[in-house]
Amino acid sequence: MADRYANFANSGLGRTVVKRLGLPDPPRLRRHQAGDPPADGPVLVGAAPDGRLSEPIRKLLGDAGVQVAPSFTEGTRYAALIFDATGIADSSQLRALYDFFHPYARSLKVSGRVIVLGTQPSGLDAREATAQRSLEGLTRSIGKEFGRGVTSQLVYVAPGGEGGLESTLRFLLSGRSAYVSGQVIRIDSGSVDAPADWERPLDGKLALVTGAARGIGAAIARTLARDGAEVIALDVPAAGDALADVANSCQGRALQLDLTAGDAPARLAGYLAAGPHAGVDIVVHNAGITRDKTIARMSEDHWDSVIGVNLTAPSRVNDLLLERGLIPSGGRIIGVASIAGIAGNRGQTNYATSKAGVIGMVQSYAPLLADRGITINAVAPGFIETAMTAKMPVGLREAGRRLNSMSQGGLPIDVAETIAWFASPASAAITGNVVRVCGQSLLGA
Ligand code: NAD
């Protein structure tokens, strides 16, 4: 559904009116286009003394073709400010953040990027853990302050995790992360193989996308295909025509299946086992429904159907595919949660319960799957422009669009790009993460 306000605010007259009246000012976000360089211009890299990452990231960025500025030049517009805060072991050293961001805060381009690198506090001594935990307040506040489509993230990199950082830096610097801001991402230690071609990291992989006939699922199917994967697009038989269109548009296969049917996991497992891959590398549990009512007014059926599609079906499918060994080492399981599962939402007890459950699934399965070389992560979308949000009452819809740092809704492609980043072989060191794709929505922030 068209965001008429954003279109108006970006018109000649609209810009004047918006400025004069102090109205929300949704910028045009930079989104990835084929052939874009990894960063949209030069980047500035800073570090607190004794940081362990600034040298590896300078090298990594240089090798990736990103121009790392040797020093700050007045008047230059930078694509990103990257700060290695791993050397901060005491709160008195947090001053290094002010010293870096204060003078350079106004030097970022539209849709610029702020990335702070730190060490996950758990496992550190109390004093260092306190200082490292502080970083989150900085990055979240910058996301709210800088405006103009600038995003700001904190990336905790485990000692020995430098090798797993490249896919995340590439994702965060690019237009692929246009609607991801205020997030904390954790990268584990371990070696990771870089793909032969960063434009097609999923070459040779088979991906299953549920709920692929429209909306976010269709965007996921097309994005994974763009990145080289062969795609199985799954949806209910009633959506068969739209599903066939999506499958054709990405040279994939369509699979009609109602995931809530009792035999659905077994039929899916049989289908995958009989295919040329004898399994599936990437499973994206996107199918989801809403049936909104306050709990006092909600029918049993509304409760059961939402929990059934959004949570029980993905759990049953995971369990059977894993039990039958149909997800090989290097496999990826990716859930689609929601900010409603983090913040709760009036009229959505069923939906929020199911989506909080998706987060629980990611967190509880991640350590269990680590030995098998399989990662499990989830996205938690905020307000995304789809058929689901077009059905919302107008007041709620406008609130969803404006109450975030981007003053606009996200697009299905924004969720799909985040899923593609999780799916990449180069993201092998990322598991148990839930990343919101919500433009830093105020809900549950
Ligand atoms: P959508 O309604 O446009 O698409 C969902 C798809 O899932 C449909 O094609 C539907 O047929 C399919 N589906 C439903 N039940 C199924 C079943 N039993 N078996 C197989 N397929 C089934 O929704 P969307 O907006 O694209 O949302 C996709 C996902 O993103 C959902 O999990 C949703 O909860 C989540 N999400 C969306 C938003 C948003 O703003 N749109 C926000 C947060 C989370």
Side-chain angles (χ1 to χ4, degrees), residues 177-236:
S177 58
Y179 203 61
V180 176
S181 192
Q183 298 307 292
V184 181
I185 293 161
R186 293 183 323 278
I187 298 184
D188 297 337
S189 57
S191 68
V192 169
D193 295 330
D197 179 356
W198 281 98
E199 287 288 311
R200 290 183 65 84
L202 304 182
D203 264 340
K205 302 286 182 190
L206 178 65
L208 169 74
V209 182
T210 72
R214 65 180 199 185
I216 294 172
I220 298 168
R222 294 190 179 111
T223 304
L224 298 183
R226 176 203 69 188
D227 285 0
E230 185 191 337
V231 172
I232 301 170
L234 180 152
D235 213 299
V236 290

Short mmCIF file of all heavy atoms in Angstrom, two decimals, residues 177-236:
data_model
loop_
_atom_site.label_atom_id
_atom_site.label_comp_id
_atom_site.label_asym_id
_atom_site.label_seq_id
_atom_site.Cartn_x
_atom_site.Cartn_y
_atom_site.Cartn_z
N SER A 177 20.63 -3.28 4.56
CA SER A 177 20.19 -3.14 5.96
C SER A 177 19.47 -1.80 6.17
O SER A 177 19.48 -1.26 7.27
CB SER A 177 21.41 -3.24 6.90
OG SER A 177 22.36 -2.25 6.56
N ALA A 178 18.82 -1.30 5.11
CA ALA A 178 18.22 0.04 5.14
C ALA A 178 17.28 0.24 6.33
O ALA A 178 17.19 1.33 6.88
CB ALA A 178 17.46 0.28 3.84
N TYR A 179 16.56 -0.81 6.72
CA TYR A 179 15.50 -0.64 7.74
C TYR A 179 15.88 -1.36 9.04
O TYR A 179 15.03 -1.63 9.88
CB TYR A 179 14.18 -1.18 7.17
CG TYR A 179 12.94 -0.61 7.83
CD1 TYR A 179 12.68 0.76 7.79
CD2 TYR A 179 12.03 -1.44 8.48
CE1 TYR A 179 11.54 1.28 8.38
CE2 TYR A 179 10.89 -0.92 9.08
CZ TYR A 179 10.65 0.44 9.02
OH TYR A 179 9.53 0.98 9.61
N VAL A 180 17.17 -1.66 9.21
CA VAL A 180 17.64 -2.32 10.44
C VAL A 180 18.42 -1.28 11.23
O VAL A 180 19.43 -0.76 10.75
CB VAL A 180 18.58 -3.51 10.10
CG1 VAL A 180 19.14 -4.14 11.37
CG2 VAL A 180 17.84 -4.55 9.25
N SER A 181 17.96 -0.94 12.42
CA SER A 181 18.71 0.03 13.22
C SER A 181 18.49 -0.22 14.71
O SER A 181 17.46 -0.76 15.10
CB SER A 181 18.32 1.46 12.86
OG SER A 181 19.25 2.37 13.44
N GLY A 182 19.47 0.17 15.49
CA GLY A 182 19.39 0.02 16.95
C GLY A 182 19.53 -1.42 17.40
O GLY A 182 19.08 -1.78 18.48
N GLN A 183 20.21 -2.25 16.58
CA GLN A 183 20.30 -3.67 16.90
C GLN A 183 21.63 -4.05 17.55
O GLN A 183 22.63 -3.36 17.40
CB GLN A 183 20.10 -4.50 15.63
CG GLN A 183 18.74 -4.28 15.02
CD GLN A 183 17.64 -4.50 16.05
OE1 GLN A 183 17.42 -5.61 16.49
NE2 GLN A 183 16.97 -3.43 16.46
N VAL A 184 21.57 -5.18 18.27
CA VAL A 184 22.79 -5.76 18.85
C VAL A 184 22.96 -7.12 18.19
O VAL A 184 22.06 -7.97 18.25
CB VAL A 184 22.66 -5.93 20.37
CG1 VAL A 184 23.95 -6.52 20.95
CG2 VAL A 184 22.32 -4.61 21.04
N ILE A 185 24.11 -7.32 17.55
CA ILE A 185 24.38 -8.57 16.82
C ILE A 185 25.57 -9.25 17.49
O ILE A 185 26.54 -8.57 17.88
CB ILE A 185 24.70 -8.23 15.34
CG1 ILE A 185 23.44 -7.65 14.67
CG2 ILE A 185 25.22 -9.45 14.59
CD1 ILE A 185 23.72 -6.89 13.40
N ARG A 186 25.47 -10.54 17.67
CA ARG A 186 26.58 -11.27 18.30
C ARG A 186 27.23 -12.23 17.31
O ARG A 186 26.54 -13.04 16.68
CB ARG A 186 26.08 -12.06 19.52
CG ARG A 186 25.60 -11.17 20.67
CD ARG A 186 25.19 -12.02 21.86
NE ARG A 186 24.54 -13.25 21.46
CZ ARG A 186 23.26 -13.36 21.12
NH1 ARG A 186 22.47 -12.29 21.13
NH2 ARG A 186 22.76 -14.53 20.77
N ILE A 187 28.56 -12.15 17.22
CA ILE A 187 29.31 -13.04 16.31
C ILE A 187 30.19 -13.94 17.17
O ILE A 187 30.98 -13.45 18.00
CB ILE A 187 30.14 -12.21 15.33
CG1 ILE A 187 29.18 -11.37 14.50
CG2 ILE A 187 31.01 -13.12 14.45
CD1 ILE A 187 29.79 -10.58 13.42
N ASP A 188 30.06 -15.25 16.98
CA ASP A 188 30.83 -16.21 17.77
C ASP A 188 32.23 -16.39 17.17
O ASP A 188 32.51 -15.95 16.06
CB ASP A 188 30.10 -17.56 17.80
CG ASP A 188 28.74 -17.45 18.48
OD1 ASP A 188 28.55 -16.51 19.28
OD2 ASP A 188 27.86 -18.29 18.18
N SER A 189 33.08 -17.09 17.91
CA SER A 189 34.43 -17.37 17.39
C SER A 189 34.35 -18.50 16.37
O SER A 189 33.32 -19.17 16.24
CB SER A 189 35.35 -17.75 18.54
OG SER A 189 34.80 -18.86 19.20
N GLY A 190 35.43 -18.70 15.67
CA GLY A 190 35.47 -19.81 14.71
C GLY A 190 35.78 -19.33 13.32
O GLY A 190 35.59 -18.15 13.01
N SER A 191 36.29 -20.25 12.50
CA SER A 191 36.67 -19.84 11.14
C SER A 191 35.47 -19.97 10.21
O SER A 191 34.61 -20.83 10.39
CB SER A 191 37.84 -20.69 10.63
OG SER A 191 37.38 -22.00 10.45
N VAL A 192 35.44 -19.10 9.23
CA VAL A 192 34.31 -19.03 8.31
C VAL A 192 34.87 -18.89 6.90
O VAL A 192 35.80 -18.13 6.68
CB VAL A 192 33.45 -17.78 8.65
CG1 VAL A 192 32.42 -17.52 7.58
CG2 VAL A 192 32.77 -17.96 10.01
N ASP A 193 34.30 -19.65 5.95
CA ASP A 193 34.76 -19.55 4.56
C ASP A 193 34.04 -18.41 3.85
O ASP A 193 32.80 -18.34 3.90
CB ASP A 193 34.48 -20.85 3.80
CG ASP A 193 35.31 -21.99 4.38
OD1 ASP A 193 36.41 -21.71 4.89
OD2 ASP A 193 34.83 -23.14 4.33
N ALA A 194 34.80 -17.57 3.17
CA ALA A 194 34.17 -16.50 2.37
C ALA A 194 33.62 -17.12 1.09
O ALA A 194 34.22 -18.04 0.54
CB ALA A 194 35.21 -15.44 2.03
N PRO A 195 32.47 -16.64 0.61
CA PRO A 195 31.96 -17.19 -0.65
C PRO A 195 32.85 -16.78 -1.82
O PRO A 195 33.50 -15.73 -1.77
CB PRO A 195 30.57 -16.54 -0.77
CG PRO A 195 30.61 -15.34 0.09
CD PRO A 195 31.64 -15.57 1.16
N ALA A 196 32.84 -17.59 -2.88
CA ALA A 196 33.65 -17.26 -4.06
C ALA A 196 33.16 -15.94 -4.67
O ALA A 196 33.93 -15.15 -5.19
CB ALA A 196 33.56 -18.39 -5.07
N ASP A 197 31.85 -15.71 -4.61
CA ASP A 197 31.26 -14.52 -5.22
C ASP A 197 30.28 -13.92 -4.21
O ASP A 197 29.24 -14.52 -3.91
CB ASP A 197 30.53 -14.93 -6.52
CG ASP A 197 29.85 -13.75 -7.20
OD1 ASP A 197 29.87 -12.64 -6.65
OD2 ASP A 197 29.30 -13.97 -8.30
N TRP A 198 30.59 -12.72 -3.70
CA TRP A 198 29.72 -12.10 -2.69
C TRP A 198 28.35 -11.72 -3.24
O TRP A 198 27.42 -11.48 -2.49
CB TRP A 198 30.41 -10.88 -2.07
CG TRP A 198 31.43 -11.25 -1.04
CD1 TRP A 198 32.77 -11.35 -1.24
CD2 TRP A 198 31.20 -11.61 0.33
NE1 TRP A 198 33.38 -11.74 -0.08
CE2 TRP A 198 32.45 -11.90 0.91
CE3 TRP A 198 30.05 -11.71 1.13
CZ2 TRP A 198 32.60 -12.27 2.24
CZ3 TRP A 198 30.20 -12.08 2.47
CH2 TRP A 198 31.46 -12.37 3.01
N GLU A 199 28.22 -11.62 -4.56
CA GLU A 199 26.91 -11.31 -5.13
C GLU A 199 26.03 -12.56 -5.22
O GLU A 199 24.83 -12.47 -5.38
CB GLU A 199 27.06 -10.71 -6.54
CG GLU A 199 27.58 -9.28 -6.56
CD GLU A 199 26.54 -8.27 -6.07
OE1 GLU A 199 25.40 -8.30 -6.53
OE2 GLU A 199 26.90 -7.44 -5.19
N ARG A 200 26.68 -13.76 -5.15
CA ARG A 200 25.91 -15.01 -5.24
C ARG A 200 26.39 -15.99 -4.17
O ARG A 200 26.82 -17.12 -4.47
CB ARG A 200 26.04 -15.62 -6.64
CG ARG A 200 25.30 -14.81 -7.70
CD ARG A 200 25.39 -15.46 -9.06
NE ARG A 200 24.71 -16.75 -9.11
CZ ARG A 200 23.41 -16.92 -9.33
NH1 ARG A 200 22.64 -15.86 -9.50
NH2 ARG A 200 22.88 -18.12 -9.38
N PRO A 201 26.27 -15.59 -2.90
CA PRO A 201 26.81 -16.44 -1.83
C PRO A 201 26.05 -17.76 -1.67
O PRO A 201 26.58 -18.69 -1.05
CB PRO A 201 26.65 -15.58 -0.57
CG PRO A 201 25.58 -14.59 -0.91
CD PRO A 201 25.70 -14.34 -2.38
N LEU A 202 24.84 -17.86 -2.24
CA LEU A 202 24.03 -19.06 -2.02
C LEU A 202 24.07 -20.02 -3.20
O LEU A 202 23.26 -20.96 -3.27
CB LEU A 202 22.57 -18.66 -1.70
CG LEU A 202 22.41 -17.70 -0.52
CD1 LEU A 202 20.93 -17.40 -0.27
CD2 LEU A 202 23.05 -18.27 0.74
N ASP A 203 25.02 -19.82 -4.11
CA ASP A 203 25.15 -20.74 -5.25
C ASP A 203 25.23 -22.18 -4.76
O ASP A 203 25.99 -22.49 -3.83
CB ASP A 203 26.43 -20.41 -6.04
CG ASP A 203 26.13 -19.50 -7.23
OD1 ASP A 203 24.96 -19.45 -7.66
OD2 ASP A 203 27.06 -18.84 -7.71
N GLY A 204 24.44 -23.05 -5.35
CA GLY A 204 24.50 -24.48 -4.99
C GLY A 204 23.64 -24.85 -3.80
O GLY A 204 23.56 -26.02 -3.43
N LYS A 205 23.00 -23.88 -3.16
CA LYS A 205 22.18 -24.16 -1.97
C LYS A 205 20.71 -24.32 -2.36
O LYS A 205 20.23 -23.67 -3.30
CB LYS A 205 22.27 -23.01 -0.96
CG LYS A 205 23.67 -22.70 -0.49
CD LYS A 205 24.17 -23.74 0.47
CE LYS A 205 25.57 -23.40 0.98
NZ LYS A 205 26.16 -24.50 1.73
N LEU A 206 20.02 -25.15 -1.59
CA LEU A 206 18.57 -25.30 -1.77
C LEU A 206 17.86 -24.64 -0.59
O LEU A 206 18.20 -24.94 0.57
CB LEU A 206 18.20 -26.79 -1.85
CG LEU A 206 16.70 -27.07 -2.00
CD1 LEU A 206 16.16 -26.55 -3.33
CD2 LEU A 206 16.43 -28.59 -1.89
N ALA A 207 16.91 -23.78 -0.87
CA ALA A 207 16.20 -23.05 0.20
C ALA A 207 14.71 -23.32 0.14
O ALA A 207 14.11 -23.34 -0.94
CB ALA A 207 16.46 -21.55 0.05
N LEU A 208 14.11 -23.54 1.30
CA LEU A 208 12.66 -23.68 1.42
C LEU A 208 12.13 -22.40 2.08
O LEU A 208 12.63 -22.00 3.13
CB LEU A 208 12.33 -24.88 2.30
CG LEU A 208 10.87 -25.01 2.74
CD1 LEU A 208 9.99 -25.48 1.58
CD2 LEU A 208 10.74 -25.99 3.91
N VAL A 209 11.12 -21.79 1.45
CA VAL A 209 10.51 -20.59 2.03
C VAL A 209 9.02 -20.85 2.20
O VAL A 209 8.32 -21.10 1.22
CB VAL A 209 10.71 -19.35 1.12
CG1 VAL A 209 10.10 -18.11 1.78
CG2 VAL A 209 12.19 -19.13 0.82
N THR A 210 8.53 -20.80 3.43
CA THR A 210 7.09 -21.03 3.65
C THR A 210 6.33 -19.71 3.56
O THR A 210 6.89 -18.64 3.81
CB THR A 210 6.83 -21.70 5.02
OG1 THR A 210 7.06 -20.73 6.05
CG2 THR A 210 7.72 -22.92 5.23
N GLY A 211 5.07 -19.80 3.18
CA GLY A 211 4.26 -18.58 3.04
C GLY A 211 4.79 -17.71 1.93
O GLY A 211 4.83 -16.48 2.03
N ALA A 212 5.21 -18.34 0.81
CA ALA A 212 5.95 -17.62 -0.23
C ALA A 212 5.08 -17.04 -1.33
O ALA A 212 5.58 -16.44 -2.27
CB ALA A 212 7.01 -18.55 -0.84
N ALA A 213 3.75 -17.20 -1.23
CA ALA A 213 2.89 -16.77 -2.35
C ALA A 213 2.78 -15.26 -2.46
O ALA A 213 2.41 -14.75 -3.52
CB ALA A 213 1.50 -17.38 -2.19
N ARG A 214 3.08 -14.55 -1.39
CA ARG A 214 2.91 -13.08 -1.46
C ARG A 214 3.73 -12.42 -0.35
O ARG A 214 4.37 -13.10 0.46
CB ARG A 214 1.44 -12.71 -1.32
CG ARG A 214 0.88 -13.07 0.04
CD ARG A 214 -0.58 -12.72 0.16
NE ARG A 214 -0.97 -12.65 1.57
CZ ARG A 214 -2.20 -12.46 1.99
NH1 ARG A 214 -3.17 -12.32 1.11
NH2 ARG A 214 -2.47 -12.38 3.27
N GLY A 215 3.64 -11.09 -0.31
CA GLY A 215 4.20 -10.32 0.80
C GLY A 215 5.67 -10.60 1.05
O GLY A 215 6.49 -10.70 0.13
N ILE A 216 5.99 -10.73 2.32
CA ILE A 216 7.39 -10.89 2.73
C ILE A 216 7.96 -12.21 2.19
O ILE A 216 9.11 -12.26 1.73
CB ILE A 216 7.48 -10.82 4.27
CG1 ILE A 216 7.08 -9.41 4.75
CG2 ILE A 216 8.87 -11.18 4.75
CD1 ILE A 216 6.94 -9.27 6.26
N GLY A 217 7.14 -13.27 2.19
CA GLY A 217 7.63 -14.57 1.73
C GLY A 217 8.03 -14.54 0.27
O GLY A 217 9.05 -15.14 -0.12
N ALA A 218 7.26 -13.85 -0.56
CA ALA A 218 7.60 -13.75 -1.98
C ALA A 218 8.93 -13.01 -2.14
O ALA A 218 9.78 -13.40 -2.95
CB ALA A 218 6.49 -13.03 -2.75
N ALA A 219 9.12 -11.96 -1.35
CA ALA A 219 10.38 -11.20 -1.42
C ALA A 219 11.56 -12.07 -0.96
O ALA A 219 12.65 -12.00 -1.53
CB ALA A 219 10.30 -9.94 -0.57
N ILE A 220 11.33 -12.89 0.06
CA ILE A 220 12.41 -13.76 0.54
C ILE A 220 12.80 -14.75 -0.57
O ILE A 220 13.99 -14.94 -0.87
CB ILE A 220 11.98 -14.54 1.80
CG1 ILE A 220 11.65 -13.58 2.95
CG2 ILE A 220 13.08 -15.52 2.23
CD1 ILE A 220 10.94 -14.25 4.13
N ALA A 221 11.78 -15.37 -1.18
CA ALA A 221 12.07 -16.36 -2.23
C ALA A 221 12.89 -15.71 -3.35
O ALA A 221 13.90 -16.26 -3.80
CB ALA A 221 10.75 -16.92 -2.78
N ARG A 222 12.48 -14.53 -3.79
CA ARG A 222 13.18 -13.87 -4.90
C ARG A 222 14.59 -13.44 -4.50
O ARG A 222 15.52 -13.50 -5.29
CB ARG A 222 12.37 -12.66 -5.39
CG ARG A 222 11.05 -13.06 -6.01
CD ARG A 222 10.36 -11.91 -6.72
NE ARG A 222 9.12 -12.37 -7.32
CZ ARG A 222 7.90 -12.01 -6.91
NH1 ARG A 222 7.76 -11.15 -5.92
NH2 ARG A 222 6.83 -12.49 -7.50
N THR A 223 14.74 -13.01 -3.25
CA THR A 223 16.05 -12.52 -2.81
C THR A 223 17.03 -13.69 -2.67
O THR A 223 18.20 -13.58 -3.06
CB THR A 223 15.91 -11.74 -1.49
OG1 THR A 223 14.96 -10.70 -1.71
CG2 THR A 223 17.22 -11.15 -1.03
N LEU A 224 16.57 -14.81 -2.12
CA LEU A 224 17.46 -15.96 -1.99
C LEU A 224 17.84 -16.49 -3.38
O LEU A 224 18.98 -16.90 -3.61
CB LEU A 224 16.81 -17.06 -1.15
CG LEU A 224 16.48 -16.69 0.31
CD1 LEU A 224 15.92 -17.90 1.06
CD2 LEU A 224 17.70 -16.15 1.05
N ALA A 225 16.88 -16.44 -4.32
CA ALA A 225 17.19 -16.86 -5.70
C ALA A 225 18.20 -15.89 -6.32
O ALA A 225 19.14 -16.31 -6.98
CB ALA A 225 15.91 -16.92 -6.53
N ARG A 226 18.00 -14.61 -6.11
CA ARG A 226 18.97 -13.61 -6.62
C ARG A 226 20.37 -13.92 -6.12
O ARG A 226 21.36 -13.76 -6.83
CB ARG A 226 18.54 -12.21 -6.13
CG ARG A 226 19.50 -11.09 -6.50
CD ARG A 226 19.37 -9.90 -5.57
NE ARG A 226 19.85 -10.19 -4.23
CZ ARG A 226 19.72 -9.39 -3.18
NH1 ARG A 226 19.12 -8.24 -3.31
NH2 ARG A 226 20.20 -9.74 -1.99
N ASP A 227 20.45 -14.38 -4.87
CA ASP A 227 21.76 -14.67 -4.26
C ASP A 227 22.27 -16.06 -4.64
O ASP A 227 23.27 -16.52 -4.10
CB ASP A 227 21.68 -14.53 -2.74
CG ASP A 227 21.65 -13.06 -2.32
OD1 ASP A 227 21.69 -12.19 -3.20
OD2 ASP A 227 21.61 -12.79 -1.10
N GLY A 228 21.56 -16.75 -5.53
CA GLY A 228 22.10 -17.99 -6.10
C GLY A 228 21.39 -19.27 -5.68
O GLY A 228 21.68 -20.33 -6.22
N ALA A 229 20.49 -19.19 -4.70
CA ALA A 229 19.86 -20.42 -4.21
C ALA A 229 18.81 -20.93 -5.18
O ALA A 229 18.16 -20.16 -5.88
CB ALA A 229 19.22 -20.17 -2.85
N GLU A 230 18.64 -22.27 -5.16
CA GLU A 230 17.46 -22.86 -5.79
C GLU A 230 16.37 -22.81 -4.73
O GLU A 230 16.62 -23.14 -3.56
CB GLU A 230 17.76 -24.31 -6.18
CG GLU A 230 16.64 -24.96 -6.94
CD GLU A 230 16.83 -26.47 -7.10
OE1 GLU A 230 17.98 -26.94 -7.02
OE2 GLU A 230 15.82 -27.15 -7.27
N VAL A 231 15.16 -22.37 -5.12
CA VAL A 231 14.13 -22.10 -4.10
C VAL A 231 12.92 -23.01 -4.26
O VAL A 231 12.42 -23.21 -5.37
CB VAL A 231 13.67 -20.62 -4.19
CG1 VAL A 231 12.47 -20.36 -3.28
CG2 VAL A 231 14.83 -19.69 -3.80
N ILE A 232 12.48 -23.57 -3.12
CA ILE A 232 11.17 -24.23 -3.07
C ILE A 232 10.25 -23.25 -2.36
O ILE A 232 10.47 -22.92 -1.18
CB ILE A 232 11.24 -25.55 -2.27
CG1 ILE A 232 12.23 -26.51 -2.90
CG2 ILE A 232 9.84 -26.17 -2.17
CD1 ILE A 232 12.52 -27.73 -2.03
N ALA A 233 9.23 -22.79 -3.09
CA ALA A 233 8.28 -21.82 -2.53
C ALA A 233 7.05 -22.58 -2.08
O ALA A 233 6.40 -23.26 -2.89
CB ALA A 233 7.92 -20.78 -3.59
N LEU A 234 6.74 -22.51 -0.79
CA LEU A 234 5.63 -23.29 -0.23
C LEU A 234 4.50 -22.36 0.23
O LEU A 234 4.76 -21.31 0.82
CB LEU A 234 6.15 -24.10 0.97
CG LEU A 234 5.17 -25.01 1.73
CD1 LEU A 234 5.93 -26.18 2.36
CD2 LEU A 234 4.36 -24.28 2.79
N ASP A 235 3.26 -22.78 -0.04
CA ASP A 235 2.11 -22.04 0.50
C ASP A 235 0.89 -22.94 0.44
O ASP A 235 0.97 -24.06 -0.08
CB ASP A 235 1.88 -20.72 -0.27
CG ASP A 235 1.32 -19.62 0.64
OD1 ASP A 235 0.22 -19.80 1.19
OD2 ASP A 235 1.99 -18.58 0.79
N VAL A 236 -0.23 -22.47 0.98
CA VAL A 236 -1.45 -23.28 1.00
C VAL A 236 -1.98 -23.47 -0.43
O VAL A 236 -1.77 -22.61 -1.29
CB VAL A 236 -2.55 -22.61 1.87
CG1 VAL A 236 -2.19 -22.67 3.33
CG2 VAL A 236 -2.80 -21.17 1.43
#
